[in-house]
Amino acid sequence: MGVGRHRPRARTPSPGGQGARGRRDGRGTGIGIGIGIGIGTGRSMGGWRDMPAEALEEQYSPSRWSPRLGRDTIIQAHLAVTAAGTQRARAGTRTSLHVPYGDGEGEKLDIYFPADPSGTFPVLVYIHGGYWQCLSKDESGFAVPPLVSQGVAVVAVGYDTAPKGHMDAMVLQVRRSLAFLVERYSGIRGIYLCGHSAGAHLAAMVLSTDWTEYGVAPDIKGAVLVSGVYDLEPILHTYVNDVLNMSRPCVQLAGPSPCWILLVWITLTSLRSWRRTAMSSLRRTSGLR
């Protein structure tokens, strides 16, 4: 399953990926960050250039890691659960589905409103994963019910996945989706980004947006980036790029800057230290060893 002379056949990519990170934006607004920890990023972090081709493929195939289910089975199970959860959310929530934010076929939003949308409300914007080449907003409403019950609107963003969509176009699409929301819905009281896997990368690119180009200023108050893939260069050497067809210049434009990658590892180190301290305190107070 290596790369080079024996490139693998194109197959359904595995949801999952690397770590996450965040920043404080240029206007001084604090950005809260949720971290998903996965495989390392970059030469200094993961040493991927020294890996054999098969090992690199393994690192970028999280579905192979399941101890209980085979890789095809676990992907199908993931799709079944998220699709069923989305159908339940649509059935029990006030929605506006397939709202176009642009002219492209994939440029649509699913909006789930809180029970009382008459006033202002915070919005969680969810960007789905799927290695930029599968999944959609139609499996992205599974986490809606507990959020809308607390007065939070949820927006699932659709974008054109590969091979139809290209990486630079996906980044522009998710940025334009936020600009559309701000212009269309005056009742929004703060935006929280949430992205999984490839969606976490796209959410991170949203955080780095110069919004003066769009004529809006989204009030982004926080981000939850789960198992994101941020260093795109290793992907050039794996099966994932068979469909993405990224070039090195594309990777340089669509990937985060090295200082962002450094920031997430500093953040992860702090979180791990905090977790050790918290767990130690919990054990002492509960009498556990």
Side-chain angles (χ1 to χ4, degrees), residues 41-257:
T41 59
R43 175 166 49 187
S44 61
M45 299 301 179
W48 64 266
R49 287 183 175 86
D50 298 326
M51 288 183 180
E54 290 185 3
L56 188 61
E57 291 276 333
E58 183 79 13
Q59 288 293 304
Y60 281 86
S61 301
S63 63
R64 303 186 195 181
W65 305 349
S66 172
R68 295 180 297 156
L69 300 174
R71 66 169 180 250
D72 293 332
T73 304
I74 198 169
I75 291 173
Q76 292 307 313
H78 173 83
L79 291 172
V81 169
T82 54
T86 299
Q87 289 303 314
R88 287 193 296 271
R90 289 180 174 182
T93 308
R94 177 184 170 184
T95 62
S96 291
L97 302 179
H98 319 304
V99 178
Y101 64 86
D103 297 329
E105 181 181 350
E107 297 180 350
K108 294 180 174 62
L109 306 173
D110 285 348
I111 304 174
Y112 302 82
F113 293 98
D116 181 14
S118 58
T120 61
F121 47 84
V123 174
L124 183 135
V125 176
Y126 181 76
I127 306 172
H128 71 82
Y131 261 152
W132 305 276
Q133 54 195 278
C134 67
L135 304 182
S136 72
K137 67 178 180 59
D138 296 323
E139 300 90 28
S140 298
F142 53 90
V144 163
L147 291 166
V148 296
S149 70
Q150 297 299 313
V152 179
V154 178
V155 176
V157 179
Y159 55 93
D160 289 319
T161 55
K164 180 178 180 179
H166 299 282
M167 183 66 72
D168 54 350
M170 296 180 213
V171 172
L172 292 177
Q173 285 178 323
V174 294
R175 287 171 171 168
R176 284 195 289 106
S177 74
L178 256 72
F180 170 84
L181 283 173
V182 171
E183 293 174 340
R184 176 76 174 270
Y185 297 98
S186 59
I188 292 177
R189 187 181 75 249
I191 295 173
Y192 297 83
L193 298 176
C194 180
H196 173 246
S197 188
H201 159 264
L202 294 173
M205 296 304 292
V206 170
L207 291 175
S208 68
T209 303
D210 179 0
W211 291 107
T212 59
E213 299 178 11
Y214 296 83
V216 297
D219 184 15
I220 301 176
K221 292 185 175 297
V224 180
L225 311 182
V226 183
S227 297
V229 185
Y230 303 101
D231 186 0
L232 304 184
E233 187 174 354
I235 292 176
L236 295 176
H237 309 280
T238 72
Y239 75 93
V240 181
N241 201 42
D242 290 349
V243 177
L244 294 176
N245 197 29
M246 289 189 298
S247 63
R248 191 172 298 277
C250 173
V251 163
Q252 292 171 343
L253 288 173
S257 67

